[in-house]
Amino acid sequence: MSARTTPPWPLVALFTAGYLAPYLLPTTVGRLDAGLPLSATQAGSIGSALLLSSAAAGFVLASRVDRLGPRRVARAGLLIAAVGYGTAALTTTVPVVVVGALAGGFGSGTATTVAATGIAAQRDPHRASTLGLLGVSALAGAVYLTVPHLGPGHGFPLLAIALVALLVWPATNRLNTNAPAGTNGTTATATATATATARTSTHRPYPRAGLVLAGTMLLWSLAQNSLWGVSGRIGTAQAGLSEVTVGAVFAIALGAGLLGVIGAGALGPRLGRALPIGAGTAVIACCIAVSAAADDLTSFAAGEIAWNTVYPIVLSHLIGLAATMDPRGRWAVLVGSASSLGTACGPLAGSLLSASAGYPAMGRVLALGLLVIAAPMTAVALHTSGRRILPSTVLRTHAARALTTRTPAGRARTPHTVAVRTHPAPEHPVVEIALDGIPAQRTAYDTAGPRQAAAPGPGPG
């Protein structure tokens, strides 16, 4: 069985368990507000604290997963998540709920960190992250359809996250293998060797691009979750819908997200990463503005469904981009932690913006911010993919002139060393190519002299 047909299911399961809390954020915050003596802003603050704790786990464990062992770290995270969320769900004492939410968030972040580190070592990290998003979208959609029928109370979403953490526990038995999941035979040996070599390096590739991606990812996630954290209240308070109707809209939206994830997985890297990230972020900005201004079922459903269809496509490419920047997974973990930090600040930022300016104005502010950060995110995708800045015809002309020079006697000679820059990025070294050429007489070339060889030929470069 090839690597293409053997997905890394343990990592996909960990990814699903770690990402479920952010996906259930609207119903979690809404039920905290309705089921406990808390204001909307206070409930949003608890949601932010939960996700902030998740981000902290990523920053703390980013470079320690290999040393501590993926299996040990994953099991500790799942156990902490199950105990923390379970405790918060089974009590109505606000301080205990807060502590349980913080502990659960740290456990979710730990599981996500292990998953991100392992996915970065895969031969196809985009496929692994796409499968993870597919799993978490399907699971969150099922929860949104089920929870409204279980009765009131703040604990049901939290119990769902705790239960998933316990169900994922057996998958950790397959961690700590010699080769990344999804490889076997000669491929497994080669992949393990390449991964081990990459992991021995302390140098982090693409330092500037990685920092730009982490910073913009923080703002990108902040904008997404500022609206996502208050989407439930937009549906009930502004659009006048019931909780059951809002839950159904969210489930349909997440179902549309499944189609988006499947489409992203089918396309893979065929469109590159720059186009899905840049254009997709611009589309998301428009969807956020529509959803925030919704005042009836039609506009609310249209904005949420369109937004949730495009969001996982862009997110899968961002996760894949971070994973391919460093085989050790350090950028994947740090960018993911920056995303969690933005996600953590989202509910509080959305609550404050909507309380001070209203939901439509909040949507316009968030949409404008997304349009601004789309440019540097696209630039990082272009830079790390090795796209040339000069047209290929210009590069061919300079290469041909460097390979063939003229001597005073009119003879052609080939230089012994030619410096060729393989990428426009400053992080890539200059490659020295040794050419042992023998001086040749002009007549040896017949009618095709060196001057013709210097001109660029037709066709793609």
Side-chain angles (χ1 to χ4, degrees):
M1 186 176 292
S2 65
R4 181 66 182 170
T5 57
T6 308
W9 294 117
L11 299 176
V12 172
L14 279 176
F15 186 99
T16 301
Y19 262 82
L20 185 58
Y23 267 67
L24 295 182
L25 189 64
T27 187
T28 301
V29 171
R31 292 218 161 205
L32 288 173
D33 180 16
L36 296 175
L38 298 170
S39 66
T41 302
Q42 289 172 333
S45 299
I46 294 177
S48 292
L50 184 157
L51 298 176
L52 184 62
S53 179
S54 179
F59 286 118
V60 170
L61 299 171
S63 60
R64 295 178 171 85
V65 173
D66 286 335
R67 185 170 69 251
L68 298 175
R71 181 186 301 168
R72 181 184 303 171
V73 176
R75 287 181 170 178
L78 293 174
L79 180 60
I80 293 172
V83 173
Y85 290 127
T87 301
L90 297 176
T91 183
T92 57
T93 305
V94 174
V96 179
V97 171
V98 173
V99 172
L102 290 174
F106 191 87
S108 293
T110 301
T112 303
T113 299
V114 177
T117 303
I119 287 174
Q122 299 296 306
R123 296 181 61 190
D124 190 354
H126 180 265
R127 181 176 180 239
S129 61
T130 298
L131 288 172
L133 289 173
L134 193 65
V136 73
S137 296
L139 188 57
V143 173
Y144 276 115
L145 286 175
T146 304
V147 165
H149 300 284
L150 298 178
H154 73 284
F156 291 111
L158 298 171
L159 279 178
I161 305 172
L163 180 61
V164 170
L166 293 177
L167 293 176
V168 169
W169 178 280
T172 59
N173 292 328
R174 296 181 58 189
L175 297 177
N176 280 356
T177 55
N178 292 330
T183 61
N184 64 345
T186 305
T187 303
T189 303
T191 305
T193 303
T195 302
T197 302
R199 288 176 182 270
T200 58
S201 172
T202 59
H203 174 68
R204 183 174 294 159
Y206 303 107
R208 291 183 292 276
L211 290 176
V212 171
L213 182 61
T216 52
M217 190 65 176
L218 187 154
L219 299 175
W220 189 85
S221 297
L222 173 66
Q224 310 291 328
N225 288 277
S226 292
L227 179 64
W228 187 238
V230 298
S231 288
R233 297 204 296 272
I234 292 176
T236 56
Q238 181 171 279
L241 307 176
S242 66
E243 183 187 9
V244 174
T245 304
V246 170
V249 170
F250 286 159
I252 295 172
L254 291 173
L258 292 178
L259 298 179
V261 173
I262 293 172
L267 286 175
R270 292 183 181 88
L271 298 178
R273 301 199 190 279
L275 179 61
I277 290 174
T281 299
V283 173
I284 288 174
C286 298
C287 295
I288 285 179
V290 171
S291 183
D295 55 3
D296 57 16
L297 175 60
T298 301
S299 56
F300 180 74
E304 292 290 328
I305 292 172
W307 174 32
N308 281 277
T309 302
V310 181
Y311 167 79
I313 299 176
V314 181
L315 180 60
S316 68
H317 282 280
L318 288 169
I319 295 173
L321 173 60
T324 56
M325 289 170 64
D326 181 14
R328 290 190 62 182
R330 290 168 295 184
W331 280 129
V333 173
L334 290 177
V335 169
S337 298
S339 174
S340 297
L341 185 60
T343 302
C345 298
L348 181 58
S351 297
L352 294 175
L353 278 173
S354 59
S356 60
Y359 294 120
M362 177 198 70
R364 290 191 293 269
V365 171
L366 297 177
L368 180 60
L370 283 174
L371 293 176
V372 170
I373 66 171
M377 296 177 82
T378 305
V380 170
L382 289 172
H383 173 66
T384 56
S385 66
R387 291 285 298 274
R388 295 186 177 97
I389 296 178
L390 293 176
S392 58
T393 54
V394 177
L395 294 176
R396 286 201 306 271
T397 301
H398 284 287
R401 288 176 179 173
L403 289 171
T404 307
T405 59
R406 298 285 297 171
T407 64
R411 296 181 301 172
R413 65 177 175 86
T414 303
H416 292 282
T417 303
V418 178
V420 180
R421 183 173 293 277
T422 58
H423 293 283
E427 288 87 348
H428 291 282
V430 174
V431 178
E432 299 273 338
I433 302 176
L435 301 174
D436 296 324
I438 301 176
Q441 297 295 331
R442 179 179 175 85
T443 56
Y445 292 92
D446 196 38
T447 58
R451 293 185 182 276
Q452 286 78 7

